[in-house]
Amino acid sequence: MPRVRCPKCNNIEGILKAGIVRYRQRYYCKKCDYHFIITIVKNKNNQQSKWNEKQTSLKDIAQVAGLSITTVSRALNNRPDISIQTRNIIRELASTMNYQPNIVAQSLVKRVTHTLGVIIPSLETTIFSTMLSGIHEIAAKAGYKVIICVSNEKHETEIANLQALMNNMIDGLLICHTNQTSSFEHLRSHIGKRIPIVQFYRVALDLPVPQILADDIHGAQQVTEYLIKKGCRKIAILLGSKSLSISQKRLEGYKIALQKNNIKIDNKLLCHIDFSLEMVVEAIEKWLKLTPKIDAIISISDKSAVQIIRYLKKKKINVPDQIKVFGFGNEFVGEFIAPSLSTFDTNTKLVGEEAAKLIIEELITDVQILEPKIVAGKIIIRDSA
Amino acid sequence: MPRVRCPKCNNIEGILKAGIVRYRQRYYCKKCDYHFIITIVKNKNNQQSKWNEKQTSLKDIAQVAGLSITTVSRALNNRPDISIQTRNIIRELASTMNYQPNIVAQSLVKRVTHTLGVIIPSLETTIFSTMLSGIHEIAAKAGYKVIICVSNEKHETEIANLQALMNNMIDGLLICHTNQTSSFEHLRSHIGKRIPIVQFYRVALDLPVPQILADDIHGAQQVTEYLIKKGCRKIAILLGSKSLSISQKRLEGYKIALQKNNIKIDNKLLCHIDFSLEMVVEAIEKWLKLTPKIDAIISISDKSAVQIIRYLKKKKINVPDQIKVFGFGNEFVGEFIAPSLSTFDTNTKLVGEEAAKLIIEELITDVQILEPKIVAGKIIIRDSA
DNA sequence: AACGGAAACGTTAACGTTACCGATAGATAG
DNA sequence: CTATCTATCGGTAACGTTAACGTTTCCGTT
């Protein structure tokens, strides 16, 4: 027989066991028809580690001040309906008690987190980190935090990142697609829902989602025209994935320039790659075998252009006399390589800034601008062309 | 006289105005001693825009399933105390209703956000974005999100960022200090509180905060010894802010190497700068005036080293014959410049990874490792030395 | 039949904040 | 003096989720 006292009638007799709930014995008192479990009174002072330091809340301040939580909230949020005296008292109290508002609770009730999500293909490529820098700068100025997600140029990672970010926590999403990305179904299901989206740099042109683009068409056109003016006729061009806007648009600019100058477009001079060193080398070797010989190479990225220059140097092919080389992006390295790299400055930081501005504008005004915005760039002539 | 009916006694007579509350008329019924405001019944169907699409919550599922919220929560969280049948029913329902848990609410009650805050000086410098990449990689694998804050090498911005991040929202903080940062009081007040901190790369050595360091002493020592072996005796060194660990430690390694080889340390060969191009040039010009002539320059950063090489080239000073140049960091550009840059690879990505590992370990096990952890690097010999 | 065990559910109270509604006292106008 | 106003406060219910605790039902033992 268990020697247990009923907490209701205070009796010891007539108490039966009545099952076990979560590893604890349950009892039943016959006399007062009452089920109970012996509850161990917890020691409230069991502050095990230092992290247990609780943040002061509105409740704490209200208790000390002898006021209601509402009043304290009013005082700290500069609301009307409060006297200047109590306001000051509360504010002083809050500062001495080192009060910091709980942003999570605020977010829950306001349904706004002041956080932007950014999905980019890589952090170790200058253009992307530069764009991210631009995004962060504008976001920080507007009081937004930035959560980053790196897709590592992998389509599946991009999808996973999208899911993770879309769950909650963010007010808006900025996305720059993977080199691999050819289908955009994962994005489509989020369009027009709770969270606004902006695409930047690498975008899906036909998606009804606001987009910020570098001046790909004009850039490629200017570069090609410059090379033609310099006497080049067999101009090769290195492109990325076919489904990406940067490949399409830059190819478009390239073609426009050729057509304007009555030069036939030769498909053997076009090459779509994924920017690995092997594929770059493969492309050059194929081009070098052609006759008549090519006299210029335009690369869609500075990184590849630099590798091209190095390869040509190794093969004792003079740049720019035999083959002129043009890059895209104006990365740091281009200025210091010999011969220094001519390139088109896509103004990547500004692309990031504009993307951030666009989404913040949409968040504030609730107005979507679907017309693609193009960020102007400029051609930079150095020794390689 | 207002023609208003009392909602309590339904009378029209004896009703007086009784002030205005928030721009709305308030009335007082004499008969039943009752104050009231005519309340406009809100139109519940005022779904103005598409963002109003409410996420489905546990409550919604519970309502549809005819079960309690708790049971639904149990089913979706794979808790015991639930039958396999109802579990399946609820899970299916959740998927058809497209349920996504509200992370903000979870964070509020669990007091954990699964988010790390990172403060870095810049996003446009390769080493920092590379470290960030390492941090993100590890964090993502462990299921943590990453919020970035860029201090732009400004001390005040670092303080502001710290405040903003510490408020809430993050479970842990990773910080790499500004070039300017010489006082660390802003950090000190957060030590040992609710949120664990880890310093990386640029750290305050004497702070009781876990830290991840590059192998500054050995790196500088190896570089200096290599130069000495090559016959250099007047080795200049370009350093950052005096209060930073990277400056102190690298100077230490430099001195060790000199002392080992019985070479006197010449203070005129040391220079602390903030890495602006002007200060780099100023430093070189000062050094070039010295007699006997210097025969090597070690720069604390690759970026400056590249600028040094370019300056020397312009001045027709041969690198490496007249002056050998060594960098620190192994950035992309070093491989492509002519002469290619010898450097010490500090393994920056690994620094980021280790920092992230350290803080996640601390978050899980609640154990702090105050012993500084040093990430090994390796010397890379190219043409400039 | 009486008792004990276990599974499977429900209730309630948090977490910290804000929004909506209401209440009161003292001031003011007529 | 009475009717009205204004300024300043409090109460309560959300927001969506989890955790601690109770309850019910069904089944096997004695």
Side-chain angles (χ1 to χ4, degrees):
Chain A
M1 214 45 171
R3 311 305 301 164
V4 179
R5 204 173 281 273
C6 169
K8 215 168 188 180
C9 61
N10 221 11
N11 248 330
I12 296 189
E13 328 276 297
I15 292 187
L16 307 169
K17 288 192 184 174
I20 287 183
V21 179
R22 275 173 297 275
Y23 309 110
R24 270 191 285 173
Q25 187 53 258
R26 185 157 162 270
Y27 299 98
Y28 173 68
C29 176
K30 255 182 171 174
K31 291 200 178 177
C32 45
D33 182 35
Y34 183 60
H35 287 271
F36 61 92
I37 293 170
I38 305 291
T39 309
I40 301 127
V41 177
K42 274 185 201 156
N43 184 10
K44 281 279 180 186
N45 290 347
N46 63 341
Q47 39 195 357
Q48 343 161 357
S49 80
K50 54 205 156 165
W51 312 153
N52 262 6
E53 275 192 37
K54 222 194 83 184
Q55 285 273 90
T56 59
S57 66
L58 291 182
K59 200 176 175 182
D60 301 328
I61 299 178
Q63 231 154 28
V64 174
L67 292 165
S68 77
I69 298 178
T70 309
T71 308
V72 177
S73 170
R74 262 198 281 260
L76 298 175
N77 290 347
N78 276 324
R79 284 278 156 71
D81 279 25
I82 191 165
S83 74
I84 190 77
Q85 294 94 331
T86 47
R87 202 194 80 120
N88 290 341
I89 292 172
I90 291 173
R91 297 201 137 227
E92 193 151 334
L93 203 57
S95 101
T96 59
M97 291 175 74
N98 196 23
Y99 169 77
Q100 300 292 131
N102 185 323
I103 305 184
V104 178
Q106 282 179 334
S107 297
L108 182 61
V109 61
K110 291 218 183 159
R111 301 157 151 279
V112 163
T113 58
H114 286 284
T115 305
L116 300 180
V118 178
I119 299 181
I120 50 173
S122 163
L123 270 172
E124 295 174 59
T125 309
T126 314
I127 50 163
F128 294 127
S129 54
T130 307
M131 281 191 277
L132 180 60
S133 180
I135 291 173
H136 177 271
E137 205 171 302
I138 298 299
K141 266 186 201 153
Y144 279 84
K145 295 176 280 291
V146 175
I147 287 189
I148 51 166
C149 274
V150 181
S151 59
N152 282 320
E153 298 279 13
K154 277 185 221 132
H155 186 58
E156 311 84 57
T157 315
E158 181 175 316
I159 296 178
N161 284 339
L162 190 66
Q163 259 308 320
L165 280 180
M166 276 305 186
N167 263 12
N168 253 293
M169 296 287 305
I170 61 168
D171 291 353
L173 177 77
L174 296 161
I175 187 166
C176 175
H177 294 291
T178 296
N179 220 329
Q180 295 185 347
T181 309
S182 52
S183 140
F184 299 92
E185 290 313 309
H186 58 301
L187 241 193
R188 188 162 272 136
S189 65
H190 291 286
I191 296 171
K193 293 286 174 69
R194 217 168 30 89
I195 297 171
I197 306 172
V198 164
Q199 300 180 98
F200 65 99
Y201 200 70
R202 293 188 193 155
V203 309
L205 291 166
D206 51 343
L207 241 47
V209 171
Q211 32 199 256
I212 299 286
L213 292 161
D215 197 0
D216 298 309
I217 298 182
H218 285 107
Q221 188 182 341
Q222 276 180 57
V223 167
T224 313
E225 279 174 353
Y226 176 86
L227 288 171
I228 294 172
K229 209 183 292 170
K230 286 284 170 183
C232 299
R233 287 297 174 269
K234 305 295 283 182
I235 304 171
I237 184 164
L238 203 62
L239 298 157
S241 164
K242 281 185 185 174
S243 56
L244 287 174
S245 59
I246 47 168
S247 301
Q248 294 166 16
K249 296 250 169 185
R250 289 178 194 177
L251 181 58
E252 194 180 331
Y254 167 82
K255 286 183 175 173
I256 292 174
L258 292 188
Q259 280 164 348
K260 256 188 172 177
N261 289 275
N262 295 318
I263 301 176
K264 248 196 177 170
I265 291 154
D266 184 353
N267 278 328
K268 286 201 293 294
L269 296 179
L270 313 182
C271 189
H272 290 271
I273 67 166
D274 69 353
F275 298 107
S276 65
L277 181 55
E278 300 82 47
M279 291 195 76
V280 171
V281 170
E282 197 179 312
I284 307 179
E285 284 176 346
K286 206 185 66 189
W287 282 331
L288 289 180
K289 285 178 192 152
L290 296 178
T291 46
K293 286 188 174 170
I294 60 166
D295 45 21
I297 300 176
I298 299 174
S299 164
I300 206 173
S301 92
D302 268 12
K303 218 165 186 171
S304 304
V306 165
Q307 290 166 337
I308 291 171
I309 287 183
R310 195 158 63 157
Y311 182 86
L312 294 177
K313 254 169 121 176
K314 217 164 47 185
K315 292 282 173 183
K316 308 277 182 201
I317 297 173
N318 186 287
V319 178
D321 292 346
Q322 290 176 270
I323 296 180
K324 304 194 196 312
V325 177
F326 237 99
F328 238 95
N330 193 24
E331 294 195 16
F332 183 72
V333 59
E335 198 179 340
F336 292 93
I337 191 176
S340 59
L341 180 66
S342 293
T343 188
F344 186 81
D345 184 354
T346 43
N347 226 332
T348 38
K349 184 160 185 188
L350 197 57
V351 171
E353 291 175 9
E354 290 294 335
K357 273 183 196 165
L358 190 62
I359 202 161
I360 290 173
E361 190 67 22
E362 185 174 339
L363 284 172
I364 295 172
T365 64
D366 221 11
V367 178
Q368 254 194 3
I369 300 166
L370 282 173
E371 186 66 27
K373 179 155 189 179
I374 292 168
V375 175
K378 66 167 184 291
I379 196 166
I380 293 178
I381 308 297
R382 297 209 192 93
D383 298 340
S384 75
Chain B
M1 212 46 169
R3 311 306 301 166
V4 179
R5 204 173 281 272
C6 169
K8 215 170 187 179
C9 62
N10 222 9
N11 246 329
I12 296 189
E13 327 277 299
I15 292 186
L16 307 170
K17 286 191 186 174
I20 288 179
V21 179
R22 276 175 296 276
Y23 309 108
R24 270 191 283 174
Q25 186 55 256
R26 186 159 162 267
Y27 299 97
Y28 174 69
C29 176
K30 253 182 171 174
K31 291 198 178 176
C32 46
D33 182 36
Y34 182 62
H35 286 271
F36 62 92
I37 293 169
I38 307 292
T39 309
I40 301 126
V41 178
K42 272 187 201 156
N43 184 11
K44 280 277 179 189
N45 290 345
N46 62 340
Q47 38 196 357
Q48 345 163 353
S49 80
K50 54 205 157 168
W51 314 151
N52 261 6
E53 274 192 38
K54 222 194 84 183
Q55 286 273 93
T56 60
S57 68
L58 290 184
K59 201 175 174 182
D60 301 328
I61 299 179
Q63 233 153 27
V64 175
L67 292 165
S68 77
I69 297 177
T70 310
T71 308
V72 177
S73 171
R74 265 199 279 261
L76 297 175
N77 292 345
N78 276 325
R79 285 279 156 72
D81 278 25
I82 190 165
S83 75
I84 189 77
Q85 293 94 332
T86 47
R87 203 194 79 119
N88 289 341
I89 292 172
I90 290 174
R91 296 201 140 227
E92 193 151 334
L93 202 57
S95 102
T96 60
M97 290 175 75
N98 198 22
Y99 170 77
Q100 298 294 130
N102 185 324
I103 305 184
V104 178
Q106 283 179 335
S107 298
L108 181 62
V109 62
K110 289 218 185 160
R111 301 159 149 278
V112 163
T113 59
H114 287 283
T115 305
L116 300 179
V118 179
I119 299 181
I120 50 174
S122 163
L123 270 172
E124 295 174 60
T125 309
T126 313
I127 51 163
F128 295 126
S129 54
T130 307
M131 282 190 276
L132 181 60
S133 180
I135 291 172
H136 177 271
E137 205 171 303
I138 298 298
K141 265 186 202 154
Y144 279 85
K145 294 175 281 290
V146 175
I147 287 189
I148 51 168
C149 273
V150 181
S151 59
N152 281 319
E153 299 279 14
K154 277 186 221 133
H155 186 57
E156 311 85 56
T157 315
E158 181 175 318
I159 297 177
N161 284 337
L162 191 67
Q163 260 308 319
L165 280 180
M166 277 305 186
N167 264 13
N168 254 292
M169 295 289 303
I170 61 167
D171 291 351
L173 178 76
L174 296 161
I175 187 166
C176 175
H177 294 292
T178 296
N179 222 330
Q180 294 184 348
T181 309
S182 51
S183 140
F184 298 94
E185 290 313 309
H186 58 301
L187 242 193
R188 189 162 271 134
S189 64
H190 290 287
I191 296 172
K193 292 288 174 69
R194 214 168 33 87
I195 297 171
I197 306 173
V198 164
Q199 300 180 99
F200 64 100
Y201 200 71
R202 294 189 193 154
V203 309
L205 292 167
D206 51 343
L207 241 47
V209 172
Q211 32 197 255
I212 299 286
L213 293 161
D215 196 1
D216 298 309
I217 298 183
H218 285 107
Q221 189 181 340
Q222 277 182 55
V223 167
T224 313
E225 279 174 352
Y226 176 85
L227 289 171
I228 293 172
K229 209 184 294 172
K230 286 284 173 182
C232 298
R233 287 297 174 270
K234 305 296 283 182
I235 303 170
I237 184 165
L238 202 62
L239 298 157
S241 164
K242 280 185 186 174
S243 55
L244 287 175
S245 59
I246 47 167
S247 302
Q248 294 167 16
K249 296 249 167 184
R250 290 177 193 178
L251 181 57
E252 196 180 331
Y254 168 82
K255 286 183 175 173
I256 291 174
L258 291 188
Q259 279 164 349
K260 257 191 172 175
N261 289 273
N262 295 319
I263 300 174
K264 247 196 177 169
I265 290 154
D266 184 354
N267 278 328
K268 286 199 293 296
L269 295 179
L270 313 182
C271 189
H272 291 269
I273 66 165
D274 68 352
F275 298 106
S276 64
L277 180 56
E278 301 82 47
M279 290 195 78
V280 172
V281 170
E282 197 180 315
I284 308 178
E285 285 176 346
K286 207 184 65 190
W287 283 332
L288 289 180
K289 285 179 192 150
L290 296 179
T291 46
K293 285 191 173 168
I294 61 167
D295 45 22
I297 300 176
I298 299 173
S299 165
I300 205 173
S301 91
D302 268 13
K303 218 164 186 170
S304 303
V306 166
Q307 290 166 336
I308 290 171
I309 288 183
R310 194 157 65 154
Y311 182 86
L312 293 178
K313 255 169 120 176
K314 215 163 49 185
K315 292 283 172 186
K316 306 280 180 199
I317 298 173
N318 186 288
V319 178
D321 293 345
Q322 289 175 271
I323 296 180
K324 302 193 197 311
V325 177
F326 237 100
F328 237 96
N330 192 24
E331 293 195 16
F332 183 73
V333 59
E335 199 180 337
F336 292 92
I337 191 176
S340 59
L341 181 66
S342 293
T343 187
F344 186 82
D345 185 355
T346 43
N347 225 334
T348 36
K349 184 159 185 188
L350 197 57
V351 171
E353 290 176 10
E354 290 292 335
K357 274 183 196 165
L358 191 63
I359 202 161
I360 290 173
E361 190 67 23
E362 185 174 339
L363 283 172
I364 295 172
T365 65
D366 223 11
V367 179
Q368 253 194 3
I369 300 165
L370 282 174
E371 186 65 27
K373 178 154 192 179
I374 292 169
V375 174
K378 66 169 184 290
I379 194 167
I380 293 177
I381 307 298
R382 297 208 192 94
D383 299 338
S384 75

